[in-house]
């Protein structure tokens, strides 16, 4: 309890008024999860003051935007919706800063944010190792049928019939997107001794070439790979990059791992290919319609997504609910960068973490 007469006592705990001193900064954190209490919430409270941080378990949508009150910043996660309508309301409420606690920004209308003079700052890299290691964990789980084996043994069924996998050594691996995460995934997978390590990227990386990666077209990567791991971001140009046509090119036993974004893969096309036995195994940490379900306990509800239900019904499919980032190291880094993003904003500093619509980026001086 703060003693009488201290600053805390004089602040408005509801946050629905502007903070009293110029240095304080109010933040509403949407899509709050328990794990946010480990690093992010304490870090924000330490920086902004206890009374200036509000955590809300629901996601940001047009229906929930008013919950931000007149916070100067909102802190968002992957499935929060910051489209033009929502941003316009946030701006009218006094919001000046969107703090993304993740790298991707496909859920924010950057053009609208620019027009409304709302700065959008993200955490571009928190732990690429967390996501790369999860991609490899999913690969091994699907290839060696670990979830099935685990469930059998828990029921005292010690039969190993039907659990045959294959060696990753000697297989052809394709990495789609060789940025931060794709490069580390390739580095780890190289340790397995693949016969060919292929990459496809709009900007091939010298580091990847130095580790022996061959850059190939998307079509060749799809045609040749035994294992494909997806690490491109979700842009209009990459939406459904794996879809009916690219799936047709793939080997019938291909293993597909998606830890990037759901919209990169056409889920209905996956269902069709799986039904026709044209996919050896699939593991995904993301799903194109995940926003209504992921991060929530829906176990007591009638589940209404037929595509996800169908995907879950295949014996060779593993789905996790967008947890690839979820390591202690990543959470710590997310909190440090988010606080730094607030500091930079308050001091009016340019930041590499700021994302702008290409249309809004100032033209270079002639
Ligand atoms: P990055 O920007 O370092 O790398 C992305 C790479 O994709 C770049 O090399 C870029 O050149 C390439 N690329 C972009 N568009 C392309 C196109 N049309 N064709 C070919 N290549 C293209 O990003 P990163 O840090 O490696 O992260 C990759 C993605 O992983 C993020 O965008 C995010 O969606 C996802 N991610 C998921 C989680 C999770 O928890 N599941 C966590 C973090 C990031």
């Amino acid at each position: 309890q703060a003693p009488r007469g201290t600053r805390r006592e004089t602040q408005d705990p509801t946050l629905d008024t502007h903070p009293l001193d110029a240095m304080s900064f109010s933040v509403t954190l949407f899509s709050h999860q328990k794990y946010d209490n480990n690093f992010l919430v304490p870090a924000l409270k330490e920086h902004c003051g206890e009374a200036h941080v509000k955590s809300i378990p629901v996601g940001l949508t047009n229906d929930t935007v008013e919950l931000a009150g007149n916070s100067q910043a909102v802190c968002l996660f992957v499935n929060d919706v910051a489209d033009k309508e929502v941003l316009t309301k946030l701006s009218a409420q006094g919001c000046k800063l969107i703090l993304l606690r993740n790298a991707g920004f496909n859920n924010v209308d950057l053009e609208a944010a620019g027009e409304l003079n709302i700065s959008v700052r993200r955490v571009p890299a928190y732990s690429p190792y967390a996501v790369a290691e999860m991609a490899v964990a999913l690969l091994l789980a699907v290839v060696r049928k670990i979830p099935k084996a685990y469930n059998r043994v828990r029921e005292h069924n010690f039969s190993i019939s039907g659990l045959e996998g294959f060696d990753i050594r000697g297989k052809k691996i394709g990495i789609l997107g060789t940025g931060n995460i794709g490069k580390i995934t390739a580095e780890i997978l190289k340790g397995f001794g693949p016969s060919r390590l292929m990459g496809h990227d709009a900007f091939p990386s010298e580091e990847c070439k130095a580790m022996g990666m061959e850059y190939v077209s998307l079509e060749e990567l799809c045609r040749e790979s035994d294992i494909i791991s997806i690490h491109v971001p979700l842009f209009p140009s990459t939406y459904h990059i794996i879809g009916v046509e690219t799936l047709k090119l793939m080997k019938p036993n291909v293993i597909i791992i998606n830890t990037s974004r759901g919209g990169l893969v056409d889920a209905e096309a996956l269902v069709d290919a799986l039904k026709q036995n044209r996919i050896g195994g699939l593991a995904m940490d993301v799903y194109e319609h995940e926003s209504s379900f992921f991060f929530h306990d829906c176990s007591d509800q009638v589940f209404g997504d037929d595509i996800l239900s169908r995907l879950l019904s295949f014996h060779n499919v593993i789905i996790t609910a967008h947890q690839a980032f979820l390591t202690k190291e990543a959470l710590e880094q997310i909190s440090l960068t988010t606080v730094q993003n607030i500091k930079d904003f308050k001091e009016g500093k340019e930041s590499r973490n700021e994302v702008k619509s290409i249309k809004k980026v100032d033209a270079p001086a002639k």
Side-chain angles (χ1 to χ4, degrees), residues 7-8 56 80 90 106 115 146 163 173 177 184 215 224 249 257 262-263 294 312-313 336 340:
R7 203 169 136 261
R8 181 184 287 190
I56 296 179
D80 290 311
L90 279 175
N106 50 289
E115 280 161 9
I146 307 278
L163 296 183
I173 295 177
I184 293 162
Y215 277 93
E224 291 294 316
L249 301 172
I257 312 294
F294 280 18
L312 286 166
S313 74
L336 290 172
Q340 189 59 47

Side-chain angles (χ1 to χ4, degrees), residues 130-254:
V131 185
E133 288 172 15
M134 181 73 178
V136 177
L138 287 172
L139 170 63
L140 290 172
V142 79
V143 168
R144 303 306 301 267
K145 305 182 168 68
I146 307 278
K148 198 183 244 188
Y150 170 80
N151 285 327
R152 272 192 200 177
V153 171
R154 276 179 70 88
E155 295 196 355
H156 302 152
N157 173 357
F158 303 106
S159 160
I160 58 168
S161 154
L163 296 183
E164 185 185 306
F166 62 78
D167 294 358
I168 292 175
R169 184 182 171 78
K171 298 298 177 294
K172 295 178 183 166
I173 295 177
I175 307 288
L176 179 48
T178 59
N180 287 320
I181 297 170
K183 186 191 77 178
I184 293 162
T185 308
E187 252 166 28
I188 301 171
L189 291 177
K190 190 161 164 40
F192 284 88
S195 60
R196 206 173 162 196
L197 182 60
M198 289 168 282
H200 174 74
D201 197 294
F203 298 95
S205 135
E206 291 307 317
E207 272 180 89
C208 287
K209 284 186 195 166
M211 78 170 88
M213 181 179 280
E214 269 176 77
Y215 277 93
V216 297
S217 66
L218 175 64
E219 290 69 26
E220 185 173 354
L221 184 137
C222 291
R223 225 181 343 254
E224 291 294 316
S225 300
D226 299 301
I227 294 161
I228 296 175
S229 194
I230 303 171
H231 302 286
V232 282
L234 179 59
F235 292 145
S237 62
T238 56
Y239 176 72
H240 284 184
I241 192 166
I242 300 301
V244 176
E245 296 307 320
T246 33
L247 284 167
K248 268 188 205 156
L249 301 172
M250 294 181 193
K251 296 181 179 182
N253 284 323
V254 67

